[in-house]
Amino acid sequence: MILHIDMDAFYAAIEQRDQPKLRGKPVVVGGGSGRGVVAAASYEAREYGIHSAMPGRRAAQLCPHAIFVRGRIDQYAKVGRQVREIFHRFTPLVQPLSLDEAFLDVTGSRRLHGDALKIGRTIKQAIKDELDLTASVGVAPLKFVAKIASDLDKPDGFVQVPSDGVIAFLDPLPTSRLWGVGRVGQQRLQRLGIHKIGDIRVRDIHDLKQKFGSWGEHLWRLANGIDPRKVVPDRTAKQISHERTFGDDLSDIDMLRAVVSHLCEQVSRRLRRSKRHAKTVTLKYRREDFKTFSRSSTLSSPTDSTNQLLQAALELLDEMRQRQPRPV
């Protein structure tokens, strides 16, 4: 079984933990200059519609009394290491997605630590007791199902999907729960009468491929509980990646550059943590019509430097904006 563990409002929760006066208040990490981008928002701030990657100016409009704090990435990375240390007490098969979330394969840990439910609850309690933070946990036989499960009851959630209950779990959920389905994608699916994941499952795969290309086939496979991807620790992965699907299509180059910068930070941090270097940088880019493009750049020498990866990624972004200027 696979666990997906997602720290709740991680950056903002750390600020509220370290500064008790911030508890219960709408806290926004980053974006304080007005031109900056929100890195994280507490659940109190999210009630006003504030979310990560939003311009700070917009966040201030939505919640004028929000408290903006400067990000402390070194502190977040330190706490992230403490969280991962807890994970590794139970399994060596830990695949981080970022500082605040990871997949764990606990199949081989049953004899030593109990079943997946027990392990998930033990990890969740250890994070609370040792770090004074909360996490949401999804338990499922497939990676993407575990991720969906961890999102369903946030914050402080715990959702299990049994091996024989994947389809029953997925069918009634909105299509937006699937990886890669943003607001525009959801609207396009709805125009075809597709509102729930179960609606995708019963459609003809060839029809979806004809309308949406490889993206349609990908959605059909997920809706039918087909996901062969394994939990792969960074130390053995052939590639390390990070991606983001936007709620609204983006055209603003400054916003796109800010997002690429964030993705490069996440990837380079995982490279350094796993003591690895990369020589090829690839940028994947999906237009608003769901056509996906990718471009790669090979560096002169392997690196784990955020700046070097970012420089290559921004060059690829500029090139792709010239070739494909439509919204992303």
Side-chain angles (χ1 to χ4, degrees):
M1 292 293 279
I2 295 171
L3 307 182
H4 180 263
I5 302 180
D6 195 357
M7 301 298 295
D8 297 325
F10 188 50
Y11 294 0
I14 291 174
E15 297 299 338
Q16 290 178 316
R17 181 197 69 175
D18 294 351
Q19 303 182 66
K21 65 181 181 180
L22 298 179
R23 292 185 178 182
K25 297 180 180 179
V27 174
V28 178
V29 179
S33 65
R35 290 182 56 84
V37 176
V38 173
S42 68
Y43 282 96
E44 295 85 356
R46 294 182 189 187
E47 292 179 0
Y48 292 86
I50 299 174
H51 56 76
S52 61
M54 171 181 285
R57 184 179 296 106
R58 176 59 177 159
Q61 292 172 345
L62 290 172
C63 183
H65 62 286
I67 302 172
F68 287 82
V69 299
R70 185 185 298 274
R72 298 181 295 153
I73 194 63
D74 289 343
Q75 173 69 349
Y76 309 150
K78 175 184 175 181
V79 179
R81 289 191 295 271
Q82 294 171 334
V83 172
R84 287 191 304 278
E85 188 278 325
I86 293 174
F87 295 164
H88 280 284
R89 295 175 195 172
F90 298 89
T91 177
L93 297 178
V94 177
Q95 180 181 349
L97 298 182
S98 61
L99 282 178
D100 59 349
E101 62 175 319
F103 288 112
L104 288 70
D105 187 335
V106 297
T107 306
S109 306
R110 184 185 188 96
R111 183 171 297 179
L112 189 61
H113 298 291
D115 64 16
L117 284 178
K118 181 178 179 181
I119 292 173
R121 294 193 185 282
T122 303
I123 290 175
K124 185 175 166 66
Q125 192 61 47
I127 290 172
K128 179 64 176 175
D129 292 343
E130 299 176 29
L131 303 178
D132 193 20
L133 296 169
T134 64
S136 293
V137 179
V139 183
L142 302 173
K143 287 175 72 173
F144 88 96
V145 178
K147 181 171 175 59
I148 292 174
S150 70
D151 287 338
L152 278 186
D153 197 24
K154 290 176 95 27
D156 203 19
F158 193 101
V159 176
Q160 179 208 13
V161 181
S163 297
D164 60 355
V166 170
I167 297 301
F169 171 76
L170 292 174
D171 269 1
L173 297 177
T175 57
S176 59
R177 288 290 181 180
L178 290 177
W179 256 334
V181 179
R183 185 176 303 164
V184 175
Q186 190 177 14
Q187 291 171 351
R188 247 188 117 174
L189 290 169
Q190 287 174 349
R191 285 197 288 269
L192 295 176
I194 298 173
H195 301 272
K196 298 179 180 179
I197 295 177
D199 298 332
I200 298 176
R201 181 174 63 82
V202 299
R203 295 293 288 246
D204 183 85
I205 185 175
H206 301 292
D207 179 52
L208 291 173
K209 284 183 66 175
Q210 184 178 26
K211 289 182 170 61
F212 302 115
S214 60
W215 185 69
E217 180 180 4
H218 170 71
L219 296 183
W220 184 89
R221 292 187 177 279
L222 294 184
N224 280 272
I226 301 171
D227 183 17
R229 292 170 296 181
K230 304 295 183 183
V231 174
V232 182
D234 283 348
R235 66 177 182 275
T236 58
K238 293 184 178 180
Q239 66 176 25
I240 292 176
S241 64
H242 206 73
E243 65 181 52
R244 182 177 186 86
T245 300
F246 307 121
D248 296 299
D249 297 337
L250 288 186
S251 297
D252 182 81
I253 188 60
D254 289 334
M255 279 296 297
L256 288 170
R257 283 173 167 264
V259 172
V260 169
S261 175
H262 172 71
L263 299 181
C264 284
E265 287 180 2
Q266 297 287 350
V267 167
S268 60
R269 188 173 296 114
R270 289 171 60 191
L271 280 170
R272 292 189 291 270
R273 187 169 64 228
S274 58
K275 296 180 173 59
R276 305 190 72 183
H277 293 73
K279 193 172 182 180
T280 300
V281 179
T282 300
L283 183 68
K284 185 176 74 172
Y285 181 107
R286 178 170 292 147
R287 293 192 324 203
E288 93 288 356
D289 61 355
F290 303 102
K291 289 186 177 180
T292 303
F293 306 87
S294 65
R295 300 286 292 179
S296 298
S297 175
T298 299
L299 307 176
S300 58
S301 60
T303 184
D304 63 1
S305 164
T306 300
N307 287 338
Q308 291 183 36
L309 295 178
L310 178 59
Q311 180 179 352
L314 290 178
E315 290 175 358
L316 291 172
L317 175 65
D318 290 342
E319 178 182 341
M320 294 179 81
R321 287 303 290 163
Q322 292 178 6
R323 289 171 176 259
Q324 307 292 340
R326 292 166 62 168
V328 183

